[in-house]
Amino acid sequence: MAKKKKVPEASKKTEQKRKQQAIADRTFGLKNKNKSKKVQMKVEGIKKNVMKSGDRRQLALEEQRKKAKAEQKARRKAAKDEQGVYKNDKNGRNYGI
């Protein structure tokens, strides 16, 4: 059996360019035609949808990493605060505040 060829994944720059082109295609004629608040809101909505689109698995993994990093930061801060509760006096003895 022959091995299957892997399809190379697009780089982040390529993905960004593709998304920018999609935004330009979807908002063609809207930006300059009418500068009303509704049109501006629609253009912003389209931008958000395109930028959020992508591989669901990748987005979920990225969000999970952010949560883990935030939890780790909170744990470090709690540990640091806990260490700060006990301070040394002039003679080197610990006392709680």
Side-chain angles (χ1 to χ4, degrees):
M1 280 180 88
K3 292 185 178 181
K4 294 183 181 179
K5 293 182 180 179
K6 292 186 179 180
V7 178
E9 294 183 23
S11 67
K12 287 186 178 184
K13 282 186 177 181
T14 306
E15 197 65 27
Q16 282 294 100
K17 286 181 182 178
R18 185 189 62 79
K19 287 181 179 184
Q20 290 297 329
Q21 185 62 38
I23 290 171
D25 289 344
R26 290 183 184 182
T27 60
F28 180 77
L30 289 177
K31 293 179 186 175
N32 298 326
K33 183 177 182 181
N34 190 355
K35 296 187 178 189
S36 69
K37 190 70 172 174
K38 289 182 182 179
V39 172
Q40 290 174 1
M41 289 176 63
K42 183 169 178 84
V43 169
E44 287 299 316
I46 290 171
K47 284 183 183 179
K48 286 180 184 177
N49 286 338
V50 170
M51 294 309 259
K52 286 284 185 177
S53 68
D55 186 19
R56 296 283 183 207
R57 188 177 295 167
Q58 180 94 13
L59 292 173
L61 183 62
E62 203 171 300
E63 189 174 323
Q64 192 176 29
R65 285 181 189 154
K66 286 181 182 179
K67 283 183 182 179
K69 193 172 184 178
E71 288 175 4
Q72 186 179 20
K73 188 175 180 180
R75 276 189 257 124
R76 285 183 182 168
K77 184 177 180 183
K80 189 175 181 181
D81 289 344
E82 190 174 306
Q83 288 176 353
V85 170
Y86 297 103
K87 296 187 177 184
N88 294 333
D89 63 1
K90 291 179 183 177
N91 297 328
R93 291 176 282 187
N94 291 333
Y95 61 94
I97 297 175

